[in-house]
Amino acid sequence: MTATTLVNNRFMPLISYTEGAGEKFGSSAASIVIIQDNKVLTEWYAGQHHFKKGALAVATDSMFNLYSLRKTYVGLATAIAVVESKLSVDCKVSDVLTNIPDYELGSTTIRDLATKSGAKYFGPNRIEREEVACDLIRELTGCNIAELLTERIFKPMELTDTEWASVPKEKLVCDFQAADGYASVRIESNEGHERNLYSSARDLAQWGNLHLNRGFINHSQLIPADVFTLIEQLRVDTEDKKRIFGWYYQDKWLLCIGCSRLPLCSCARFSCSCGANVQ
């Protein structure tokens, strides 16, 4: 799909900054989408999917690896599962899960998963925190993270360029350079807990806008309002009052940082930029 460029001059400094960052860090590709009051104000794309000859130009449906930003997806799925199951966030994870021994999970609670506190890995197999969350969500809902979000959010919002990639496809932007010099993409499980979540800039912008609107999109409450009540309560209860379900909260800002950047501010302006660092 051919890239569309729509630039509001107010955001030229952001575009210039992104271009400079791409040159500094050796990025082959970048994109920016800015939404305010549910309207796209700026949409900008640059570069190719990798540095080799024949690489596709970045387009509106080019999908970037979100890496740490995926934690906001894991977090939202966890919040939905907990709220709809009417569980306390102080419930021990071992009271729910049956596939991981109690001694490996220890005293870890759902609150610990939500605030990313406590252990990051569990047991001799070093099961990552996000995989534990995926197991918890499956136990509570019968769906893994990807299945839950696809049915509840991606399909209703028509986010067709968001997925945990388990097979290669040409829309995936290469996100790292292997030791042998070949540009690569990350292919892993499609369950939703690993570092292979790819999204277009447009889809990512809509994901942020969904949070700014507290789950209310297209005249429909896609996410239970109680999910956001839980998030606010966790912010009050958590010592640093910042890191909740994958987001870092600051005054008037929500921020998630990974290989992509997803800042939201309280005036309902949202921006994102994605970079493919393959050099």
Side-chain angles (χ1 to χ4, degrees), residues 37 41 102 139-140 165 167 176 190 209 222 241 244 275:
D37 297 329
L41 299 185
D102 290 2
E139 188 72 27
L140 295 176
V167 294
F176 69 96
N190 64 355
N209 201 40
L222 292 184
K241 295 180 172 56
I244 308 294

Side-chain angles (χ1 to χ4, degrees), residues 40-101:
V40 175
L41 299 185
T42 287
E43 189 169 3
W44 172 86
Y45 301 89
Q48 294 80 37
H49 283 204
H50 55 78
F51 285 114
K52 301 287 186 176
K53 290 183 179 179
L56 293 176
V58 174
T60 56
D61 60 351
S62 293
M63 297 165 63
F64 296 80
N65 192 321
L66 303 187
Y67 279 101
S68 290
L69 210 157
R70 83 192 196 283
K71 295 176 183 178
T72 66
Y73 294 73
V74 176
L76 183 59
T78 304
I80 291 172
V82 169
V83 165
E84 295 188 344
S85 300
K86 302 186 185 303
L87 278 180
S88 166
V89 291
D90 292 311
C91 173
K92 290 174 60 176
V93 176
S94 60
D95 290 342
V96 180
L97 291 185
T98 58
N99 65 325
I100 302 176

